[in-house]
Amino acid sequence: AYEIRRMIAQGVMVQDKGKLRRCEYRDFCILVRSVKDKAGRYVEELKKQGIHVWSDTTLGYFDSMEIALILNLLRVLDNPLQDIALLSVLMSPVFGFTADDMAEIRLRDRTVPLYLALGEAAKLGNCKAAEFLETTDVLRRFSVTAKISRLIQKIYDTTDFIAVVASTDSGEQRRANLRLLLEYANTYERAGYQGLSGFIGYIDRTIERGQDFESANVLSEQSNAVKVMSIHKSKGLEYPICFLADLSKPFNMMDTYGNLLLHPELGIGLKLRDPERLKKYATLPYLAESVLIKQGILSEELRVLYVAMTRAREKLIFVVSEKNLDSSLRSLSMKLTGKTLSPFLLKNLGSYAQWLLAAALFHPDMGELRYRAGREGEGNVASDSSELRLRLFPPITDEQSE
């Protein structure tokens, strides 16, 4: 986010149909190996910095504030004796209960469920409690016969839910997510299901399985926005400035170990079990298959890295995050011989970052890296006319990120 804002502010020039112009958000692309776990974080942080961003997948729907809130309200309508869901609804911007309000209601009787304490407060003249109970009572009676999509629309209309939530940060996105919930509810009904309890159960089972719905995307791929996408989906596309992110993530080698390995040519490889010593030993077929499977994985990762590196037309920026850069560089340096990377070395490195750092240690422009790795000297520099720049950033604290 910092680099994008810096280049936009400085008016970095890019080529466009043979002419130079100042860079815009649409000229930037952030590529990651997998968007499942990472893309949402990049999108969220870029939005916090006021940068328009588009992603080819927008997960995290259930984690968004507005959807968590409306689902909790639906849970309260279905079963009002859920204290946590009820508390989140009461203290939301929609109903506006404060901590002092909740303390006053709860201190009268700490032993009963919050909903019953709310009813007692209403009887004693608490106007906010009485208004909330009246609203939820109307909605609960409506939910008995209404379709879930009509119930959700009724909530929006009765409570001004969309208007209130849209007045917060990222209001357009929140409004789109709430509208999208109506579409998900319609899809649920078209499948032949009905009822509030059934819909809440369906949502809860989806969350328990670790699954998610896609969030609404208020920007299109053609919008003036930074793109965040997987390397696989970027094939055939080019952008003036590309960031290759999450490069320090280790390669997934799960297929190379386990009690049983499968290979299309060698067949099955098993570990030998010794019941007397309670140990397992790798057999020769097992070791052979493990080596070939690992070689196949690394070959594929090398092809993916090539695709990623050829997406940039003008600037390619590698983003490497290391807990201890100097230690990592020294460890790599001890494995290097000559002025080239050997295939044997590449097979024993576990991430894109290690591959790239190992190669960078030979580059003429990377004197700072060689100094940190303890590899000073002309004999450790390869002949390379390409231009490579290094920028080191200290770890970002939580306070700085805010």
Side-chain angles (χ1 to χ4, degrees), residues 66 70 94 152-153 155-157 159-168 171 174-180 182:
E66 65 281 3
I70 187 67
V94 176
I152 294 172
Q153 185 62 60
I155 293 173
Y156 293 166
D157 296 339
T159 64
D160 289 330
F161 199 99
I162 292 181
V164 173
V165 171
S167 65
T168 61
R174 300 189 191 282
R175 183 187 294 108
N177 278 342
L178 291 171
R179 293 298 183 192
L180 186 59
L182 289 171

Side-chain angles (χ1 to χ4, degrees), residues 111-294:
T111 60
V112 301
L114 180 58
Y115 184 75
L116 299 182
L118 201 64
E120 289 298 321
K123 292 178 182 178
L124 295 174
N126 189 314
C127 296
K128 294 176 74 173
E131 183 179 353
F132 174 81
L133 291 174
E134 181 181 356
T135 300
T136 53
D137 186 55
V138 170
L139 293 172
R140 189 174 295 110
R141 288 198 303 270
F142 184 80
S143 70
V144 175
T145 57
K147 292 183 178 181
I148 185 65
S149 57
R150 290 190 60 203
L151 173 61
I152 294 172
Q153 185 62 60
K154 178 75 171 179
I155 293 173
Y156 293 166
D157 296 339
T158 302
T159 64
D160 289 330
F161 199 99
I162 292 181
V164 173
V165 171
S167 65
T168 61
D169 294 338
S170 303
E172 186 179 358
Q173 176 70 52
R174 300 189 191 282
R175 183 187 294 108
N177 278 342
L178 291 171
R179 293 298 183 192
L180 186 59
L181 183 61
L182 289 171
E183 296 185 23
Y184 287 136
N186 283 322
T187 302
Y188 173 81
E189 291 165 350
R190 285 195 296 269
Y193 303 108
Q194 292 183 357
L196 174 58
S197 297
F199 183 71
I200 289 298
Y202 165 66
I203 294 294
D204 289 341
R205 288 192 298 273
T206 302
I207 295 174
E208 288 172 2
R209 289 195 297 265
Q211 298 174 352
D212 203 351
F213 292 169
E214 284 196 7
S215 300
N217 214 329
V218 295
L219 296 174
S220 69
E221 190 173 359
Q222 288 72 39
S223 301
N224 183 22
V226 177
K227 310 297 187 296
V228 179
M229 65 175 62
S230 66
I231 297 173
H232 176 73
K233 289 192 175 181
S234 72
K235 288 182 179 180
L237 303 176
E238 286 187 341
Y239 295 90
I241 305 170
C242 281
F243 292 83
L244 299 193
D246 199 29
L247 295 175
S248 297
K249 181 181 180 180
F251 297 137
N252 184 356
M253 293 294 177
M254 290 184 63
D255 290 342
T256 64
Y257 54 84
N259 293 326
L260 182 147
L261 298 181
L262 295 174
H263 190 272
E265 296 179 0
L266 298 183
I268 299 176
L270 297 170
K271 283 187 175 181
L272 181 64
R273 182 181 179 186
D274 186 343
E276 294 183 359
R277 299 184 180 180
L278 301 178
K279 290 185 177 181
K280 295 179 182 178
Y281 300 94
T283 61
L284 188 58
Y286 181 95
L287 293 174
E289 290 191 24
S290 179
V291 170
L292 287 180
I293 292 172
K294 180 179 180 180

